[in-house]
């Protein structure tokens, strides 16, 4: 009889986000045990495994899928590998946590999620911001009617600096890679589906991003089924650091969040009042949410129940990103139904 009190986990892809999840799973999740790491760059797998005392380190992820002692996989490999690995992991009967975005095409997403459905395994998508304390409180304010009926949503989501071009090339681009978090946040906060999007975008930060067919600056207007109108502002660069804020206006008031700072010191001088910059990037800003999401996944895999963020949520964020991309390319508002005919 397998020990149902501990989930044995294999991690696939140990780059920027994989290293973070590996550290959490190895030391911070009492009911999860990180037992294996796979990365096509074998040294990366070996290095992380040695760092965290993980017994198995391999270059081939299928080794993990073939191991009956491994109950679940955490997929942190490049975006263009997700759908294939999900499908194979589901067929192998593993519970699956997968980083966002699910994949870049709906056809592949639907094949992967159908395999999950058939296998009856737990699937959670890594839309971690739903676990962030600031955004949870905004959601709660809406849910509890603290601001009355919501009218307007505004999300600001700017990175401190662009990722490497090698990452940009396989990322799916700004809408599918970066704004995907904000499309999910919009659905999460307003608790209504987006029916139409209208996006403007440009290459203002770095011409190299334009040269590989991507954009680095975007504003997207969202129209929700419940009448709310929203805007999302994205930039791949902000001189003052990671800028992650939300604001909702409703009939009885407003809720807004600020950035998170490493300290609360404010220095007042003869010329200016200043403070330190916000927490610099996702590893610092969303630390607590990354731990909370994998803890939720481990609990669901062991105890059952609905995943905190489902495959359908992961899919819908991709649908909105594809709609925004189409809107930008065709320079017109796009009905979400144009993208998703199911
Ligand atoms: N939720 C978040 O906030 C967040 C943040 C960063 C990245 N991500 C997502 O996580 C994924 C990885 O991003 P990253 O920034 O860590 O990228 P990265 O390039 O730093 O790391 C990816 C790693 O996966 C490995 N890899 C690629 N194909 C593989 C395969 N077939 N088998 C095993 N390993 C493989 C690469 O060798 C590399 O080590 C992307 O899908 C990205 O969108 C999410």
């Amino acid at each position: 009889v397998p020990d149902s009190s501990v989930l044995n986990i294999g991690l696939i892809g140990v780059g920027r986000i994989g290293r973070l999840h590996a550290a959490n799973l190895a030391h911070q999740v009492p009911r999860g045990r990180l037992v294996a790491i796979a990365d096509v760059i074998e040294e990366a797998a070996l290095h992380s495994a040695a760092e965290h005392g993980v017994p198995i380190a391999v270059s081939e992820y299928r080794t993990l899928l073939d191991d009956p002692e491994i109950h679940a996989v955490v997929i942190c490999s490049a975006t263009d590998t997700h759908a294939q690995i999900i499908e194979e992991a589901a067929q192998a009967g593993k519970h699956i946590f997968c980083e966002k975005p699910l994949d870049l095409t709906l056809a592949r997403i639907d094949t992967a999620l159908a395999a999950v459905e058939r296998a009856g395994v737990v699937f959670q998508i890594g839309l971690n911001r739903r676990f962030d304390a600031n955004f949870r409180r905004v959601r709660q304010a809406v849910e509890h009617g603290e601001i009355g009926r919501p009218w307007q949503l505004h999300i600001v989501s700017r990175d401190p600096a662009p990722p490497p071009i090698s990452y940009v090339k396989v990322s799916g681009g700004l809408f599918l890679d970066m704004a995907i978090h904000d499309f999910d946040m919009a659905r999460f906060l307003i608790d209504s589906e987006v029916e139409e999007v209208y996006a403007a975008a440009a290459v203002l930060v770095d011409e190299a991003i334009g040269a590989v067919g991507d954009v680095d600056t975007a504003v997207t207007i969202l129209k929700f089924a419940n009448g709310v109108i929203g805007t999302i502002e994205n930039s791949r660069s902000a001189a003052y650091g990671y800028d992650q804020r939300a604001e909702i206006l409703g009939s009885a008031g407003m809720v807004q969040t600020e950035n998170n700072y490493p300290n609360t010191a404010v220095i007042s001088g003869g010329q200016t009042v200043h403070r330190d910059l916000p927490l610099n990037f996702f590893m610092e800003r969303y630390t607590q949410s990354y731990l909370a999401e994998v803890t939720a996944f481990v609990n669901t895999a062991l105890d059952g129940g609905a995943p905190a963020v489902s495959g359908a949520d992961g899919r819908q964020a991709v649908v909105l990103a594809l709609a925004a991309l189409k809107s930008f390319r065709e320079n017109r508002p796009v009905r979400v139904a144009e993208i998703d005919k199911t």
Side-chain angles (χ1 to χ4, degrees), residues 15-17 39-40 76-77 79 82 99-100 128 167 177 290:
R16 289 190 305 173
I17 199 75
D39 196 299
V40 281
C76 307
S77 47
T79 293
H82 291 180
E99 265 305 335
K100 48 54 64 177
N128 58 293
Y167 176 92
D177 177 57
Y290 292 119

Side-chain angles (χ1 to χ4, degrees), residues 151-155 182-187 190 193-199 219-225 227-232 320-321 324 336:
W151 288 335
Q152 286 181 332
L153 164 74
H154 185 52
I155 294 174
D182 308 301
F183 293 127
D184 180 63
M185 186 51 60
R187 296 181 62 238
I190 300 300
E193 293 299 340
V194 175
E195 292 188 330
E196 187 178 287
V197 304
Y198 193 11
V219 177
T220 307
I221 298 174
L222 314 170
K223 290 188 188 167
F224 290 82
V228 169
I229 301 170
T231 49
I232 298 172
L320 298 185
V336 172

